[in-house]
Amino acid sequence: MTLIRRTPGAHWRPRPLVFATDTEAHRRLLTALRRHLRHEQQAAGHAGCPVDIVTISRTVLAALALRVALPERAWVDTTILKLRGNLELLLCENLGEPGPQVGSLREDARRLLDLCSPSAPPLPPLHAYELMRALAGTTRSFAVLYQLRQSARERGQ
């Protein structure tokens, strides 16, 4: 027996990594990762994903910053994805009593999320920029509501 044979797998030819490209494999992988994350969070006592107000505020400020010209489309699309994720996370949070203002804000958020869903038709650059700014404004409103709820909860304890 040679020294190479003593190392498990040393006689195998090295092959490049091949990643799955079909959507069904990606869906199964994401489902398994979410399930694993959920089990870890339940074991640690977490209710869900934490809301990072600093990251949300930075993304909102970058989106609402005044510009002379339209930013690059790739940056707008990336910012829309970030804002969409932040807004969906804030919508999952319990923001207290559903009053008429919170209800109308939720309706606006749902309409905006429908406009930037993957199944929506592609938008022209100016419309995408305006959608990004509208998402940023709504996300900022939900972030303020979330902060008020957190401060009220801390005072109550």
Side-chain angles (χ1 to χ4, degrees):
M1 185 176 271
T2 64
L3 184 61
I4 295 175
R5 287 287 200 173
R6 289 184 185 173
T7 307
H11 60 283
W12 299 338
R13 278 188 247 132
R15 289 184 290 166
L17 291 175
V18 178
F19 296 101
T21 56
D22 60 329
T23 56
E24 185 63 28
H26 285 238
R27 188 189 58 76
R28 286 193 314 266
L29 176 66
L30 287 175
T31 303
L33 287 174
R34 284 188 193 119
R35 190 178 319 122
H36 178 71
L37 182 64
R38 218 176 301 128
H39 289 301
E40 283 183 352
Q41 287 175 347
Q42 287 174 353
H46 294 291
C49 295
V51 176
D52 187 9
I53 293 294
V54 174
T55 304
I56 292 173
S57 298
R58 286 182 184 160
T59 307
V60 166
L61 286 176
L64 293 177
L66 294 177
R67 292 174 179 76
V68 175
L70 283 177
E72 292 182 19
R73 180 62 190 255
W75 183 83
V76 170
D77 290 340
T78 304
T79 307
I80 285 175
L81 285 175
K82 289 178 186 177
L83 289 168
R84 182 172 183 238
N86 292 334
L87 186 57
E88 287 175 343
L89 183 64
L90 287 168
L91 280 173
C92 291
E93 291 294 319
N94 181 15
L95 295 176
E97 303 155 6
Q101 292 174 340
V102 176
S104 65
L105 194 60
R106 277 188 191 275
E107 289 175 16
D108 291 343
R110 292 287 178 209
R111 271 189 247 123
L112 288 172
L113 289 174
D114 287 342
L115 284 175
C116 64
S117 70
S119 62
L123 297 171
L126 183 61
H127 290 207
Y129 179 71
E130 289 299 322
L131 174 65
M132 177 192 71
R133 291 184 59 85
L135 272 172
T138 306
T139 304
R140 180 171 52 186
S141 300
F142 272 102
V144 167
L145 285 173
Y146 178 78
Q147 285 178 320
L148 290 173
R149 184 193 66 112
Q150 288 295 104
S151 64
R153 180 184 289 173
E154 288 172 2
R155 274 187 262 127
Q157 289 181 353

